[in-house]
Amino acid sequence: MDHFQLKDGVLHAEDVALSDIAEQVGTPVYVYSRATLERHARVFREGLKDAGKIHLAFAVKSNPNLAVLKILANQGYGADVVSGGELERALAAGMKADDIVFSGVGKSRAELTLGLDKGIGQFNLESEEEGQMLAEIAASRGENASATLRVNPDVDAGTHAKISTGKAENKFGVAIDVAPDIFARLSKLEGLNLRGVAVHIGSQLQNLDPLEKCYTRMGQLLSDLRSAGHAITHVDLGGGLGVPYKPEENPPSPADYGAMVARVTEGWDVTLMFEPGRVIAGNSGVMMTQVIRIKPGVNSDFVIVDAAMNDLMRPAIYDAWHHFEAVQPTGDSMTASIVGPICESSDIFAKEREVDRVQTDDLGIFRTAGAYGATMANTYNSRPLVPEVLVDGDKYAVVAERIEPSTIMAAEHVPDWLK
């Protein structure tokens, strides 16, 4: 459920007409619903009510907007970060340092040091070399860094290849068959409190079978590590639960997921850690756009909108589906391709799809844009960086300004020897 609904023939975000936002802020623009974010955060937590002791860390990469992070911090969520910049954002939004988990395959020495400086709760180690580096830095400071070892379980998540992370050929984690030996060596290092293991097999999962297979393998690894004398207190089960992008999609609910987790992990006697992102933020946001013109095509008309692939990258890089709707639908439909103004053939949001009939200057939205939307935006073709708006009941605020090309150009410099 989300809070983007028709009221008196106009799409609203909660109690604010999207047309009012377009008039005041302009388009393209991302619009988030606070009520939807809070509801999804509660539903995910409630789904895990039978899973024992849990720790929830929102995947900041899915939506790093400070206002969004503040809402989730108020809901008791920590942060799963994958860069020093995301770590700083989480702290700035009020997330507790002890509730921050630092993931990512390429953490630099500077980033590891930053994590120690800020006193974060856990590092998820992606390799033995990274663990050695973290131990060395922490020991030199007279500290012990809490960490888990990320394991690659060689499980196919059954999702898009570009968001699959748990197969043997993927770059993440250490192979599960060598994990016990690596764990044993790292656990002996001064400066490292290796307290558990972590796993994450991919994003936008549409059924629970791959996750159950993965967690079962992790349970066996947990047993093996304890048999070898290691104290395991934390297991990070990652994220990846999918959301419906198409009306006919029906991914597992947090309740279904939580029931599976409780069953598979029964008797583990650990703190279970989770890194939800898309399932919290996905349907909490839309991207609104305005029709520039309708251009006749050979097979169907082209609806040219002012949003482009630089504003919402997922269709161009993943062939992802985002449902398109008119902000003031007439009830009529049309078959059209919805495209942006970027000088690339991949700047297409929908190809020959049946959509609400729109005309020049009409407003439309792309749904399920709250995750991996604005965070992936860029300024290709010297276009502005898309703004973000947060709605709360009958009020709204711009929570990320539109950054104009002139502002970006001001950060560039022509050397004297070219003048």
Side-chain angles (χ1 to χ4, degrees):
M1 176 185 172
D2 60 59
H3 291 77
F4 296 93
Q5 305 294 334
L6 278 172
K7 296 181 181 181
D8 298 323
V10 180
L11 265 175
H12 282 58
E14 300 186 26
D15 296 322
V16 177
L18 290 177
S19 53
D20 290 346
I21 295 175
E23 182 178 350
Q24 296 298 318
V25 182
T27 56
V29 59
Y30 281 90
V31 181
Y32 307 128
S33 159
R34 176 179 180 175
T36 306
L37 280 164
E38 291 180 338
R39 179 183 182 276
H40 289 175
R42 290 193 301 269
V43 167
F44 190 82
R45 183 188 297 278
E46 290 165 1
L48 293 163
K49 66 184 188 316
D50 296 325
K53 188 176 181 181
I54 65 170
H55 177 272
L56 301 177
F58 177 68
V60 172
K61 63 180 176 290
S62 66
N63 190 322
N65 184 277
L66 287 174
V68 169
L69 298 183
K70 182 66 174 179
I71 290 170
L72 295 174
N74 290 342
Q75 291 291 314
Y77 277 64
D80 168 56
V81 304
V82 294
S83 72
E86 287 190 350
L87 170 54
E88 297 281 15
R89 278 182 170 271
L91 291 171
M95 289 170 164
K96 297 177 183 177
D98 194 50
D99 286 335
I100 294 177
V101 177
F102 202 152
S103 302
V105 71
K107 295 185 282 294
S108 67
R109 177 177 289 271
E111 287 175 319
L112 294 173
T113 301
L114 176 66
L116 291 171
D117 288 344
K118 300 299 183 180
I120 68 168
Q122 180 173 294
F123 296 85
N124 285 352
L125 304 175
E126 297 267 1
S127 66
E128 185 169 5
E129 183 180 1
E130 182 188 342
Q132 292 168 342
M133 180 182 289
L134 178 61
E136 172 210 326
I137 298 169
S140 71
R141 300 157 57 112
E143 299 175 10
N144 266 319
S146 292
T148 64
L149 179 63
R150 180 170 175 175
V151 174
N152 185 324
D154 193 19
V155 172
D156 187 348
T159 188
H160 193 286
K162 292 184 179 179
I163 51 176
S164 179
T165 59
K167 296 171 69 175
E169 63 266 29
N170 295 137
K171 68 179 182 179
F172 300 96
V174 302
I176 194 166
D177 59 331
V178 300
D181 289 340
I182 294 176
F183 195 102
R185 291 192 291 269
L186 289 178
S187 66
K188 297 175 183 177
L189 297 180
E190 182 184 356
L192 199 60
N193 171 28
L194 196 58
R195 64 184 190 177
V197 288
V199 71
H200 178 72
I201 62 171
S203 186
Q204 186 52 13
L205 274 71
Q206 292 295 302
N207 71 79
L208 295 177
D209 292 344
L211 287 170
E212 181 165 352
K213 182 178 181 181
C214 168
Y215 297 167
T216 300
R217 289 188 179 181
M218 294 300 288
Q220 182 58 56
L221 175 62
L222 173 64
S223 178
D224 292 345
L225 290 173
R226 282 177 168 162
S227 295
H230 301 294
I232 307 297
T233 60
H234 291 71
V235 176
D236 189 332
L237 295 179
L241 206 58
V243 298
Y245 283 94
K246 299 181 180 179
E248 66 270 19
E249 290 179 340
N250 187 31
S253 69
D256 294 336
Y257 173 68
M260 181 274 288
V261 168
R263 174 170 49 80
V264 174
T265 65
E266 185 177 7
W268 283 16
D269 190 26
V270 295
T271 295
L272 294 174
M273 308 180 74
F274 300 89
E275 302 165 2
R278 190 190 315 263
V279 71
I280 304 294
N283 282 311
S284 73
V286 301
M287 186 179 70
M288 181 163 49
T289 186
Q290 187 170 33
V291 177
I292 296 174
R293 65 181 58 92
I294 311 295
K295 176 182 175 181
V298 174
N299 298 318
S300 64
D301 288 345
F302 291 101
V303 175
I304 303 173
V305 297
D306 63 0
M309 62 184 283
N310 71 293
D311 303 306
L312 178 61
M313 288 288 294
R314 296 188 70 256
I317 60 178
Y318 302 136
D319 293 321
W321 177 292
H322 284 270
H323 194 62
F324 179 81
E325 296 176 25
V327 168
Q328 293 182 265
T330 63
D332 293 333
S333 63
M334 62 191 295
T335 299
S337 294
I338 304 171
V339 302
I342 289 285
C343 193
E344 297 276 355
S345 294
S346 56
D347 185 22
I348 180 168
F349 296 106
K351 186 175 182 180
E352 296 176 11
R353 187 187 301 177
E354 186 173 351
V355 298
D356 288 341
R357 182 171 293 280
V358 290
Q359 302 178 38
T360 299
D361 295 332
D362 283 354
L363 297 170
I365 63 163
F366 295 100
R367 283 192 177 265
T368 323
Y372 304 102
T375 185
M376 298 176 75
N378 58 70
T379 59
Y380 185 45
N381 280 192
S382 291
R383 287 169 52 84
L385 194 61
V386 64
E388 301 165 76
V389 166
L390 177 67
V391 174
D392 183 0
D394 61 357
K395 60 183 180 290
Y396 69 89
V398 175
V399 293
E401 302 284 345
R402 190 184 308 278
I403 301 178
E404 298 293 346
S406 57
T407 301
I408 297 166
M409 192 163 55
E412 301 176 23
H413 306 283
V414 177
D416 290 341
W417 43 267
L418 283 179
K419 294 178 182 177

